[in-house]
Amino acid sequence: MEARLNIMGSPIAAQALKHLVAAGKALGESTLPAATRELVMLRVSQINGCAGCIDIHTKEATAAGETAQRLHLVAAWREAKVFTDAERAALELAEQGTRIADAAGGVTDEAWADAAKHYDEDQLAALVTLIAVMNAFNRGNVITQQPAGDYRVGQYA
């Protein structure tokens, strides 16, 4: 499979992506737990069908010590016993924030309140921004059919 567009070959796209990457790096400095960030990025990417980001975030999470069992169960997190209540709240917010067009009214008050029970205001801000940034990356990759499978851990660090 070949990409429809060499995004980094386009000066305007490369400049815009530089800002998205910078946003992602800033989120890495937040107090939102690293495991939660990786689980959210993986789940958003699964929902959006972004193979490139699924490749990246499964490999990065594994390198950071995440278990294969938890990574395999992210797609069915509601039925899995391996996630904390806080992680479940973050995954629910990620799903509702990603499926906005499918949900009349967007993110429910219940989902927000549940997340707010587990995360402080700065962590909530990081979580919301993370969901938005991942959706942007996913959409760009899916539209241009970026291939997946050859990512190396730390490649974009």
Side-chain angles (χ1 to χ4, degrees):
M1 177 176 180
E2 288 198 32
R4 291 177 170 159
L5 177 69
N6 176 1
I7 292 179
M8 297 314 286
S10 163
I12 194 75
Q15 181 67 15
L17 282 174
K18 183 173 83 172
H19 293 290
L20 278 177
V21 169
K25 286 184 180 183
L27 294 169
E29 298 170 8
S30 76
T31 60
L32 186 66
T36 301
R37 289 193 311 267
E38 287 297 339
L39 294 172
V40 165
M41 289 186 287
L42 178 56
R43 186 63 190 128
V44 169
S45 299
Q46 289 172 335
I47 293 166
N48 289 325
C50 183
C53 289
I54 292 169
D55 186 33
I56 291 168
H57 296 294
T58 55
K59 289 174 180 174
E60 289 291 342
T62 299
E66 189 58 76
T67 67
Q69 180 187 33
R70 282 170 43 96
L71 292 176
H72 292 308
L73 289 171
V74 168
W77 63 268
R78 285 179 180 82
E79 294 82 22
K81 297 179 180 181
V82 298
F83 302 106
T84 67
D85 289 344
E87 290 168 338
R88 290 174 176 286
L91 289 166
E92 181 65 34
L93 190 64
E95 285 200 8
Q96 288 190 24
T98 298
R99 299 180 193 266
I100 289 175
D102 300 337
V107 174
T108 65
D109 290 339
E110 294 80 13
W112 183 261
D114 193 27
K117 286 191 306 193
H118 300 283
Y119 301 103
D120 64 28
E121 190 167 300
D122 286 340
Q123 290 170 322
L124 285 169
L127 187 55
V128 168
T129 306
L130 178 65
I131 294 163
V133 167
M134 279 312 302
N135 273 286
F137 274 121
N138 291 167
R139 282 159 170 75
N141 286 341
V142 170
I143 291 166
T144 60
Q145 293 185 342
Q146 295 299 311
D150 59 354
Y151 176 78
R152 294 173 319 283
V153 173
Q155 181 174 335
Y156 299 128

